[in-house]
Amino acid sequence: MSPMHIDIPEGQEPIGYVWGEMVPGIGMAAANFSLSVYEHTTLGLREFEAARLRVAQINGCLFCLDWRTEREGQKVEEEFADAVTQWRTTDAFDDRTRLAAEYAERYALDHHGLDEEFWTRMTAHYGQREIVELSMSIGSWLAFGRLNHVLGLDAVCVLPGH
């Protein structure tokens, strides 16, 4: 667990304090963007979670690693996170889910390396709107998961409204 690098007044909830009180103009906009990824997604649960968990694994955000998105009472299976780690070889993923994990990893670690070969595969399985949505989702998870981890907030993180 990373140490907290921001002083939180006694009795304050760390995420609410940092995001809401310290920088309300920025923090509330970030929180709304973060939540909108969950509330307005059109992506299937498996590809959504494959991308989200791959970013969480790369970021090392403790809360994000423990979190499982739930839709209509459904969550991914317990072994899903291990499959995400093994996205190249797992037999638990269809092409879209595997591509979501690959895209998340490459977006986070080597966005300059997203070549024509990758985009040919991606556009064979995802429409342009889905690609934009997945890109914005990955960007949200990358930014805010890293922000919380870097500041040491990820051990105490609770998503607003959950």
Side-chain angles (χ1 to χ4, degrees):
M1 179 176 5
S2 56
M4 214 175 317
H5 299 288
I6 302 297
D7 296 327
I8 308 298
E10 191 164 334
Q12 289 280 346
E13 189 276 313
I15 293 292
Y17 176 74
V18 171
W19 286 57
E21 292 188 40
M22 289 185 84
V23 291
I26 300 169
M28 291 314 296
N32 287 335
F33 177 45
S34 181
L35 287 174
S36 70
V37 166
Y38 294 87
E39 292 174 0
H40 301 290
T41 187
T42 63
L43 298 167
L45 180 61
R46 292 182 70 76
E47 58 243 25
F48 184 89
E49 280 292 89
R52 190 196 62 74
L53 273 165
R54 191 66 198 119
V55 171
Q57 291 165 351
I58 291 165
N59 280 349
C61 177
L62 299 173
F63 176 80
C64 303
L65 287 166
D66 286 340
W67 173 263
R68 294 296 177 271
T69 303
E70 184 175 328
R71 287 207 203 134
E72 299 171 4
Q74 299 294 311
K75 292 184 181 183
V76 293
E77 66 273 14
E78 192 61 41
E79 306 79 30
F80 193 83
D82 290 335
V84 169
T85 304
Q86 303 297 320
W87 64 263
R88 287 172 184 83
T89 57
T90 184
D91 58 5
F93 288 176
D94 63 12
D95 290 339
R96 282 175 59 95
T97 305
R98 188 180 318 280
L99 269 166
E102 178 183 358
Y103 186 38
E105 180 175 301
R106 293 178 73 174
Y107 185 117
L109 298 176
D110 184 26
H111 62 286
H112 292 285
L114 293 168
D115 55 14
E116 286 307 310
E117 183 277 331
F118 170 80
W119 286 113
T120 298
R121 290 185 292 114
M122 191 69 176
T123 56
H125 294 282
Y126 284 90
Q128 290 188 350
R129 180 181 170 151
E130 291 176 311
I131 290 170
V132 171
E133 182 181 328
L134 188 56
S135 300
M136 288 188 174
S137 296
I138 292 168
S140 170
W141 300 319
L142 186 62
F144 302 134
R146 283 192 184 179
L147 180 147
N148 287 332
H149 184 72
V150 165
L151 296 179
L153 302 173
D154 55 330
V156 294
C157 185
V158 177
L159 279 180
H162 289 275

